[in-house]
Amino acid sequence: MKVVVEVADAAGLMPKDGHGSANAFVEVEFEGQRHRTQAKHKDLSPAWNETFVFNVSDPARLADQTIDVSVYHDRKSGGGTGDGGRHGRGHGHHRNFLGRVRIASASIALSDADAPLQRFPLEKRGLFSYIRGDVALRVYAMPESAAEVPVITPFVEVEQAPVENKEKKASSSVVPEEERRVFYSVEAGGGGGAAPTGGGGAAPTTGGLSFEFAQMKQAMTGQPPAFNMSPVFNVSHAQARADAPFPPTVIQAGPPAVRPGNDFGLVETAPPLAGRPGYRRGFGGSDKIASTYDLIEQMRYLYVNVVKARHLPTMDLTGSLDPYVELKLGNYKATTRYLAKNSNPVWHEVFAFFQHRLQSNLLEVVVKDKDLVKDDFVGRLAFDLAEVPLRVPPDSPLAPQWYKLEDKKGEKLPNGELMLAVWMGTQADEAFPDAWHSDAHNVGLDALATTRSKVYFTPRLVYLRVVVLEAQDLVPHDKNHPPSNVSLKLRLGHQFRSTRHVRGSLNPTWNEEVMLVASEPFDEHLVLTVEDRVAADREEPLGRLVLPLSAAFTRTDHHKIMEPRWFSLAKPTASDEKAGDGEKKEHKFSSKIRLQLYLELGYHVLDESTQFSSDLEPASKLHRKQRIGILELGILGARNLMSMKANKDGRTTDAYCVAKYGQKWVRTRTLLNTLTPQWNEQYTWEVFDPCTVVTVAVFDNCHLAGHKDDARDQ
């Protein structure tokens, strides 16, 4: 018989190399046999995926053995020799202890198919050692024949009776045997044989409730019970050892008996909980983005989705109807936009009311007709909040329903129906980012968009490299005076560059390189103008060229040499359309300019401060590294904010939070009139480099009074 131990990975290990990391390897010991994995260099969550096979000398005593799994940091080198052989302890002074796991052999599975991958928290070796992390293992037995399958018998705990030990006074350093707990495995038949588990080893974990279930199953199938529990004996260890009434455990030949607990026992599992260390590595080692809001406090909201209405009765003498919907919940009042002259309006607007600020148990939905003097009542609906269903993602969205409108007395109207959905949810709901929130109940429709949470992605930036070589056959603005100082000016958006001046030549040579920054979707044009300085403060254009960025080649390898090209210069007074035909063949005479033009995709445009950079990846996706993990950020709230503006109640702040990492910006919703906002919103980013920085800032919203182009949030 053999025992197989598969070492999968570890997570959250303690750093030991002085640089925040560790060179971790695992050492497995069983019955004097020792194997070790390779050492993973500078990895606190290493993955080994190595399998070790151990020989079992005596299958009868398998239940009494213990498998010791220890994790160490290799101080000598970052490598390791996974030869799979036996290793001594000659390298003990080159390693640091990271944690250990002791597994009772009685708890291992009897086959590969029954062995799950389990995560074991690492245990410390001493009282003052500090250990963290866990290790993932699969342990199972591999019998060579059916006769070698051990019969794991349930244990009976032998409670010890107080017995005087005369040698206790002689040597206080020796631990008395009476203080140790001993377990005996009792065989079938009542007279059974028992074998002690031995010095301090882990006790078998079979028996108990799972064993009784196995007996019940055999009784129902008509089979004789495989085990018979004997009564519990209250004897001391000394008496049990002296009398020795139990012969050794008998290994039965023939078909193996049913192992208790395989069908009805409790099995330890490792569900992918976000709070559990190493849960992302899973069984296949792949990353998994959490779909729940597990870093923040869940906040309940009452959602109302007003979809549309049909067959609304007209209220004006003219027969027209300008309907809108008004929601009333205590002192809160929310309205949809009104639609002029429409008896079948469609709104598709969602409203969210914070549960802790609900001021009534009744939600009133009123359809009104917009009028110059006083809005007319069309119909109403009422919902008791105690009967509103609860919906939590990933449940499907609640489907809206048609409701017949009622008059003020509660009687059904002959015409008029309203489609809407009402439910209780959390901030994890899909409708949360686009909903009108009760926190912004006094904000107009124009400024409502500035209060909602948003996610932005900045456009990708790429270096545009322009190598200006030469120009030929330039035409001076005055034929009697040749050009005196010729230069080339380049413009891309708001970026301006210029070459040096070349004196008195119609065929100037520059051989200069100019760097510009282009951004997706690369719809801007590069404007090049050849100018002649005729005075200290005056320059005359000699030719013009407008090129789209699509004319530039792309380069991912900086060793690749790009071929220069000739372009035709248009007259200075030519339009942008004519000046952009520089690559087309023309029969007319024109001035020429020779350029190298290409986009550098192998570099990263450093648009942030070097000390606070959040992205170092090149523009080309082919050159980017694989992600190393997922960054999750829960924005909970803020306290003691500064008052930024004055209102009728005094000075206050309309605060929102912004977080930036890489190309992704996130913005929480704006909470009005509070110096202690509670957002409780969660966002995720992909991380490619650990030496990066995430930036978080809090702003005061200055756009709530309407759209102001010159207003800037503080």
Side-chain angles (χ1 to χ4, degrees), residues 595-607:
L595 305 170
Q596 284 180 331
L597 191 70
Y598 47 92
L599 295 169
E600 292 279 14
L601 300 181
Y603 294 91
H604 169 74
V605 178
L606 195 63
D607 58 337

Side-chain angles (χ1 to χ4, degrees), residues 37-307:
T37 66
Q38 293 183 349
K40 295 298 181 178
H41 185 63
K42 292 189 177 300
D43 193 352
L44 295 180
S45 298
W48 296 282
N49 295 316
E50 298 186 27
T51 303
F52 303 125
V53 180
F54 298 88
N55 296 320
V56 180
S57 59
D58 186 4
R61 299 186 67 251
L62 177 61
D64 303 332
Q65 302 298 327
T66 301
I67 303 173
D68 293 326
V69 181
S70 302
V71 185
Y72 295 98
H73 160 64
D74 191 353
R75 293 186 299 173
K76 186 174 180 180
S77 64
T81 58
D83 56 355
R86 299 187 180 184
H87 290 259
R89 299 189 182 273
H91 299 284
H93 60 284
H94 292 304
R95 62 186 182 182
N96 293 105
F97 181 73
L98 296 178
R100 69 177 180 182
V101 174
R102 307 190 70 185
I103 304 174
S105 299
S107 63
I108 66 176
L110 294 181
S111 65
D112 184 10
D114 297 334
L117 182 68
Q118 294 179 297
R119 303 202 74 90
F120 297 89
L122 295 176
E123 301 174 356
K124 57 185 180 179
R125 183 167 53 185
L127 180 62
F128 299 101
S129 59
Y130 182 53
I131 300 300
R132 73 181 187 191
D134 56 17
V135 62
L137 304 170
R138 288 183 72 236
V139 185
Y140 56 91
M142 189 170 61
E144 297 179 358
S145 63
E148 291 190 5
V149 179
V151 180
I152 309 297
T153 57
F155 69 87
V156 176
E157 181 177 353
V158 181
E159 298 183 358
Q160 48 202 342
V163 178
E164 293 185 0
N165 187 1
K166 298 181 180 180
E167 298 178 358
K168 183 175 181 181
K169 299 180 180 178
S171 176
S172 60
S173 61
V174 178
V175 179
E177 292 184 351
E178 285 77 17
E179 297 180 3
R180 304 169 66 180
R181 300 176 64 190
V182 183
F183 301 90
Y184 292 88
S185 55
V186 181
E187 192 185 342
T197 60
T205 57
T206 57
L209 185 61
S210 60
F211 171 71
E212 294 178 5
F213 276 133
Q215 283 191 317
M216 293 169 60
K217 180 181 179 182
Q218 290 181 341
M220 289 186 293
T221 56
Q223 300 177 1
F227 304 99
N228 183 17
M229 291 292 293
S230 297
V232 177
F233 298 95
N234 295 326
V235 296
S236 67
H237 183 198
Q239 291 174 339
R241 191 172 59 178
D243 299 338
F246 304 105
T249 303
V250 179
I251 302 300
Q252 300 177 356
V258 178
R259 176 183 172 93
N262 274 3
D263 297 326
F264 302 99
L266 297 178
V267 179
E268 181 181 357
T269 60
L273 300 178
R276 183 181 179 90
Y279 86 103
R280 295 196 181 283
R281 305 190 67 89
F283 285 77
S286 60
D287 281 346
K288 177 183 177 182
I289 299 178
S291 60
T292 58
Y293 279 31
D294 52 348
L295 299 182
I296 57 178
E297 180 184 355
Q298 283 196 355
M299 305 173 67
R300 291 288 180 87
Y301 286 87
L302 172 66
Y303 289 96
V304 182
N305 181 16
V306 181
V307 183

Side-chain angles (χ1 to χ4, degrees), residues 173 335 434 483 492:
S173 61
T335 59
D434 298 327
L492 180 64

Side-chain angles (χ1 to χ4, degrees), residues 14-26:
M14 177 68 64
K16 288 290 185 178
D17 61 353
H19 301 283
S21 188
N23 307 324
F25 69 92
V26 175

